Amino acid sequence: MTRNPDLKYRVVSAFQRRIGNPLLRRMPLQTLLETTGRVSGLPRPTPVGGRRVGDSFWLVSEYGERSQYVRNILANPRVRVRIRGRWHTGTAHLLPDDDPLARLKTLPRLNSTAVRALGAGLLTVRVDLDG
């Protein structure tokens, strides 16, 4: 897209915030990660691509700690994940020592391709789901 990572981040973030995320949030089977806003305290649902493996849900943040939902996780790791239309509560963990490119190979292909193409500063996130 561009060689300037800050411009790339601003363009992709603006598109996601204004167009992509509002549309995807309305799709009943879209996977959502709901964090608590670190300033507002309000629920912040974000469409994500990932995969449930046992009692954990794995995803890769395309902008690492620059992503708003990752900043919210740093402030409060308690989250909810909507998988196939059903909500699950859990605790999110940021895994900077995990290889996000290798992790993407285990996650849904379409989303992984987009994250690789658009992202910079990838970061693996694991959500340990409650009971």
Side-chain angles (χ1 to χ4, degrees), residues 74-85:
L74 286 168
N76 179 358
R78 293 296 296 164
V79 300
R80 292 193 322 154
V81 183
R82 186 177 76 181
I83 305 167
R84 296 188 186 116

Side-chain angles (χ1 to χ4, degrees), residues 6 19 29 59 94 96 121 130:
D6 287 331
I19 299 168
L29 295 180
L59 67 130
L94 306 179
D130 298 337

Side-chain angles (χ1 to χ4, degrees), residues 30-50:
Q30 171 65 46
T31 302
L32 297 177
L33 174 68
E34 184 182 85
T35 60
T36 300
R38 63 193 176 282
V39 175
S40 69
L42 298 173
R44 298 294 182 198
T46 303
V48 296

Side-chain angles (χ1 to χ4, degrees), residues 113-128:
T113 301
V115 169
R116 272 193 298 278
L118 301 174
L122 306 180
L123 176 65
T124 301
V125 179
R126 183 188 76 231
V127 178
D128 293 334

Side-chain angles (χ1 to χ4, degrees), residues 1-10 12-13 16 60-67 69-70 100-101 104 112-124:
M1 179 176 174
T2 178
R3 292 176 191 213
N4 182 336
D6 287 331
L7 177 61
K8 182 178 176 180
Y9 171 77
R10 288 195 310 269
V12 171
S13 294
Q16 289 174 334
V60 174
S61 168
E62 64 191 342
Y63 286 107
E65 290 190 20
R66 287 184 80 174
S67 295
Y69 70 86
V70 171
L101 293 175
L104 284 170
S112 294
T113 301
V115 169
R116 272 193 298 278
L118 301 174
L122 306 180
L123 176 65
T124 301

Side-chain angles (χ1 to χ4, degrees), residues 15-26:
F15 174 81
Q16 289 174 334
R17 185 172 38 256
R18 292 183 177 93
I19 299 168
N21 289 355
L23 290 173
L24 290 172
R25 277 194 295 265
R26 290 185 171 94

